[in-house]
Amino acid sequence: MTTTAVTGVPVETHLRARRDAGRKLLVPYVTAGVCENWTEHLHACAEAGADAIEIGLPFSEPTVDGPTVQEASDRALHRGTSLRTLLADLRTVRLAVPLIVMTYYHLVAREGLAAVCAALAEAGVRGLIVPDLPLDESAALEQAAAAAGIDLILVAAPSSSPARLREIAQRSRGFVYAVTAMATTGERTALPATAGAYAATLKQHTDLPVLLGFGISTPDHAAAGARSADGVVVGSALMRRILDGAGPADTAAFVTTLRTALDR
Amino acid sequence: MREPGANGRFGEFGGRFVPESLIPACAEVEEAFRDAWADAGFRRDLDRLLTVYAGRPTPVTPAWRLSAELGVDVLLKREDLAHTGSHKINNVLGQALLAVRMGRTRLIAETGAGQHGVATATAAALLGLSATVFMGGKDMARQALNVHRMRLLGAEVVEVTSGSRTLKDATSEAMRHWVTCVDEAYYCIGSVMGPHPYPWMVREFQRVIGAEARAQCAAELPKAVPDYVVACVGGGSNAAGTFAGFADTGAQLVGVEAAGGAAISNGGVAIMHGHRSYAIQDADGQILEAESIAAGLDYPGIGPEHAHLHELGRARYVTVTDGEVVDAVKRLARSEGILPALESAHAVAWVLRAAGTAELPAGSTVLITLSGRGDKDSNSLMEIQ
Ligand SMILES: Cc1ncc(COP(=O)(O)O)c(C=O)c1O
């Protein structure tokens, strides 16, 4: 058996160190393959102050994604994006912040959990988010990910029972992804009022960083979300700009505004 | 066909692959269904609606002339005679009663051919609920009559413009919508698919087809049980309900898929729309668009219990082409005076072929579930003529 080289920056140690130093965490989301130069947007995010970057590997049935990410996924799929192209593209990318892949369970399971985790690790990915894989089904992937040196980041929801919140907080690796609202991904006018309280509950159960995601659309939302959580994930607001033609420099400018708001 | 095992599995299929946000909603539906199904009062209410509203029991009609022509005894289970024109009403009345019992005021649903949407709109009207039905733009155009029916019944029909604009995309959209309204809306799934408990619950609500047919066959056939039990399969609810009545007999169970959407014959294992089963997919695992003349079979996947029955070898899954289906519609119309839905005609088409090739031995007895009537397909058929 060959041992796969694990490359890339570890998610948990990296985020923990920064959080413990008093920094609020910022994780932008970019859909893999959405445009020819999509990996340049990753560099732009890193340079503008992202603490980690979430990369979406699109699936034809994106049951947690709202219109913007769906559109980005469609565009990426039409451009021929697949696990293979993602791995190939990432081989050219080396960044000082951790890379996390978000995709649906079918695309992970069909290739074999161990094989996918090893391939991602070898391409420099150190975190994985699978939003349609609930706690009750995740044991096998938790093992495969751990064996490959990948943090399987679990998702908590406002509807999760206290017992499930505790278990999610305990079994998650890297950070806990706290969904802000009962909603799909997508830009919103306001951050739900309840997001803060439940992020605080999660923080009682774990010392891992807790990040709020879904609907964080403006620097103000980011700052508000990060008051109760350790940071935020920003997807649709960035992808809307990229879909409308924003280049890497525009991405950097937008991420800078988020960074500034978080650092204020 | 029993209750699914741990984690809602039929063998390795089924399960509950939904976002964490929806886990409590699925658990709540499961609990409510277990409670209702064990409650004689709920069963009585449902039975009464099935009788006085939906027109059950539906008859089994011997296909006299076709049987003579084929040399095979064909019986037709007449779901086309149920209210709203298809078997979909059985399941929807069950789920709508459950929704009321759970205190919900709104039904959400996805539909392909529109039959499940019409059934949902109907039950909502009957029970004083509101209904929102997601339908692919492509299906709305080709099933305009059913869109109109749903709107007349007071339902809101939401056009889905993402992906291939067919049933699979309407299903994804309905799931996305469900997250936003779990507290007031009940997701009324149209076939034996989705997260646990839906595949099991929908099969139980459709079991009435098989249970009635079993008793009717016993009265009709010297051997009591037919040699073959045949039903069309999109998601597979009419087939599951029919098979449930015969699973413990020696009858050969045959599910007929559309050639252009043959999840078992041409697909592979997939996790989508809340469960693990089979679906047609490309080399990268992206789910493919199904292609069938019958919008109700235009679904790339199949319910998880069918995947299990296939792996057990208990049921066999075969395909027929659109051309065979159109021939079957005409043949049944002219020999028996029954115009079947294009979906149902898939089951007829396989029997015609199998009798012709002696795959069905002369003298064998065959029960076909006619899942619905063909009026909704008049436009499609006129275009072909
Ligand atoms: C008449 C008819 N038969 C069959 C189907 C397919 O559903 P299932 O495979 O769940 O029975 C439909 C779906 O719309 C239908 O309208």
Side-chain angles (χ1 to χ4, degrees):
Chain A
M1 224 176 111
T2 54
T3 39
T4 316
V6 177
T7 57
V9 184
V11 181
E12 188 162 329
T13 44
H14 184 82
L15 293 187
R16 238 182 224 286
R18 290 192 167 194
R19 189 264 319 259
D20 293 348
R23 179 176 164 103
K24 291 297 182 182
L25 303 172
L26 176 59
V27 179
Y29 166 96
V30 178
T31 301
V34 66
C35 51
E36 177 73 35
N37 64 342
W38 75 275
T39 57
E40 288 174 32
H41 289 271
L42 305 182
H43 287 278
C45 290
E47 279 151 28
D51 298 294
I53 303 169
E54 184 182 336
I55 297 166
L57 171 61
F59 180 44
S60 53
E61 314 306 309
T63 44
V64 303
D65 287 309
T68 304
V69 175
Q70 279 181 53
E71 190 183 332
S73 296
D74 272 354
R75 206 181 276 190
L77 288 174
H78 278 115
R79 294 190 62 258
T81 303
S82 67
L83 179 60
R84 264 174 301 112
T85 65
L86 170 74
L87 294 171
D89 288 353
L90 286 184
R91 280 200 192 95
T92 65
V93 176
R94 284 296 169 264
L95 294 171
V97 297
L99 298 182
I100 296 159
V101 162
M102 190 293 278
T103 195
Y104 290 84
Y105 193 43
H106 176 53
L107 296 186
V108 179
R110 63 184 292 278
E111 302 266 356
L113 306 183
V116 167
C117 291
L120 289 173
E122 201 245 337
V125 174
R126 296 300 296 273
L128 181 60
I129 303 171
V130 185
D132 63 341
L133 181 67
L135 201 55
D136 325 74
E137 301 281 355
S138 61
L141 185 58
E142 282 172 26
Q143 269 189 2
I150 287 188
D151 286 335
L152 184 65
I153 294 151
L154 302 185
V155 181
S159 57
S160 305
S161 67
R164 283 182 76 89
L165 280 185
R166 197 173 323 114
E167 195 177 347
I168 289 165
Q170 281 162 6
R171 280 167 59 183
S172 193
R173 296 290 174 267
F175 65 88
V176 183
Y177 195 127
V179 170
T180 55
M182 295 298 286
T184 53
T185 61
E187 288 176 272
R188 297 163 72 89
T189 48
L191 193 64
T194 48
Y198 120 91
T201 309
L202 276 168
K203 285 183 64 65
Q204 284 169 8
H205 294 309
T206 180
D207 182 45
L208 276 183
V210 173
L211 271 65
L212 278 171
F214 282 28
I216 311 267
S217 310
T218 67
D220 282 350
H221 292 175
R227 269 198 285 280
S228 50
D230 296 307
V232 293
V233 181
V234 179
S236 297
L238 174 55
M239 291 316 298
R240 181 73 263 154
R241 289 169 165 80
I242 295 177
L243 288 170
D244 290 346
D250 305 302
T251 289
F254 177 58
V255 173
T256 300
T257 63
L258 297 168
R259 179 77 265 161
T260 308
L262 288 172
D263 290 346
R264 236 186 335 251
Chain B
M1 288 161 77
R2 305 196 193 109
E3 213 180 288
N7 291 335
R9 287 291 208 286
F10 302 96
E12 61 165 304
F13 301 104
R16 185 176 279 167
F17 294 92
V18 294
E20 173 63 21
S21 307
L22 287 175
I23 291 286
C26 292
E28 197 186 350
V29 173
E30 180 182 355
E31 196 180 323
F33 173 65
R34 283 184 189 281
D35 185 67
W37 214 221
D39 175 356
F42 179 86
R43 296 271 193 133
R44 237 186 344 263
D45 290 349
L46 178 56
D47 280 350
R48 181 161 165 77
L49 281 188
L50 288 173
T51 307
V52 304
Y53 187 73
R56 302 210 71 87
T58 60
V60 154
T61 305
W64 290 283
R65 294 182 55 206
L66 195 63
S67 297
E69 287 165 22
L70 298 178
V72 165
D73 272 333
V74 177
L75 298 176
L76 304 171
K77 178 61 175 163
R78 301 290 305 279
E79 294 306 292
D80 58 318
L81 294 179
H83 181 47
T84 69
S86 83
H87 69 294
K88 298 283 179 189
I89 193 74
N90 307 324
N91 166 44
V92 169
L93 286 175
Q95 290 198 55
L97 277 184
L98 188 67
V100 171
R101 190 180 167 99
M102 292 171 72
R104 299 299 195 270
T105 53
R106 188 154 85 88
L107 301 179
I108 58 179
E110 77 295 320
T111 196
Q115 288 304 101
H116 174 60
V118 167
T120 302
T122 299
L126 174 70
L127 297 176
L129 304 168
S130 64
T132 305
V133 180
F134 294 87
M135 191 169 187
K138 192 169 151 189
D139 291 336
M140 282 179 74
R142 57 184 174 166
Q143 299 289 335
L145 180 61
N146 273 342
V147 174
H148 186 62
R149 285 170 81 192
M150 285 184 265
R151 288 184 172 147
L152 280 175
L153 289 159
E156 179 195 11
V157 182
V158 180
E159 178 177 359
V160 175
T161 56
S162 54
S164 55
R165 299 161 53 240
T166 59
L167 179 56
K168 82 180 177 74
D169 310 288
T171 305
S172 296
E173 190 60 37
M175 286 197 144
R176 288 188 284 258
H177 181 68
W178 190 24
V179 165
T180 68
C181 57
V182 284
D183 290 335
E184 101 262 0
Y186 174 92
Y187 184 13
C188 181
I189 296 186
S191 191
V192 282
M193 45 183 240
H196 176 59
Y198 282 94
W200 166 50
M201 174 170 67
V202 175
R203 181 249 283 166
E204 288 303 285
F205 286 141
Q206 292 293 5
R207 179 186 283 276
V208 64
I209 303 173
E212 284 176 10
R214 175 82 174 269
Q216 290 162 325
C217 286
E220 198 69 41
L221 297 172
K223 280 193 299 174
V225 171
D227 300 316
Y228 294 83
V229 171
V230 187
C232 70
V233 177
S237 67
N238 86 90
T242 306
F243 292 174
F246 295 92
D248 63 345
T249 71
Q252 290 210 35
L253 309 178
V254 182
V256 187
E257 297 189 276
I264 285 191
S265 304
N266 299 332
V269 172
I271 296 152
M272 107 169 141
H273 297 156
H275 64 255
R276 175 192 265 121
S277 186
Y278 282 81
I280 52 172
Q281 50 193 293
D282 69 13
D284 294 324
Q286 304 297 342
I287 304 304
L288 290 171
E289 184 182 348
E291 284 286 353
S292 168
I293 190 174
L297 305 190
D298 222 344
Y299 183 67
I302 187 168
E305 191 170 17
H306 287 294
H308 181 53
L309 293 173
H310 162 69
E311 292 221 336
L312 290 177
R314 179 62 191 95
R316 195 148 70 90
Y317 296 84
V318 297
T319 64
V320 295
T321 63
D322 284 354
E324 291 178 289
V325 168
V326 173
D327 289 345
V329 169
K330 292 184 193 160
R331 185 92 183 258
L332 197 69
R334 288 170 195 177
S335 70
E336 307 300 325
I338 297 170
L339 187 63
L342 286 167
E343 290 81 6
S344 318
H346 282 66
V348 178
W350 181 78
V351 169
L352 293 178
R353 186 211 291 160
T357 59
E359 195 178 345
L360 287 178
S364 49
T365 50
V366 183
L367 175 80
I368 301 175
T369 296
L370 277 195
S371 54
R373 64 170 188 237
D375 310 39
K376 71 180 174 60
D377 300 316
S378 306
N379 280 343
S380 306
L381 288 168
M382 278 190 287
E383 276 169 27
I384 297 166
Q385 294 288 306

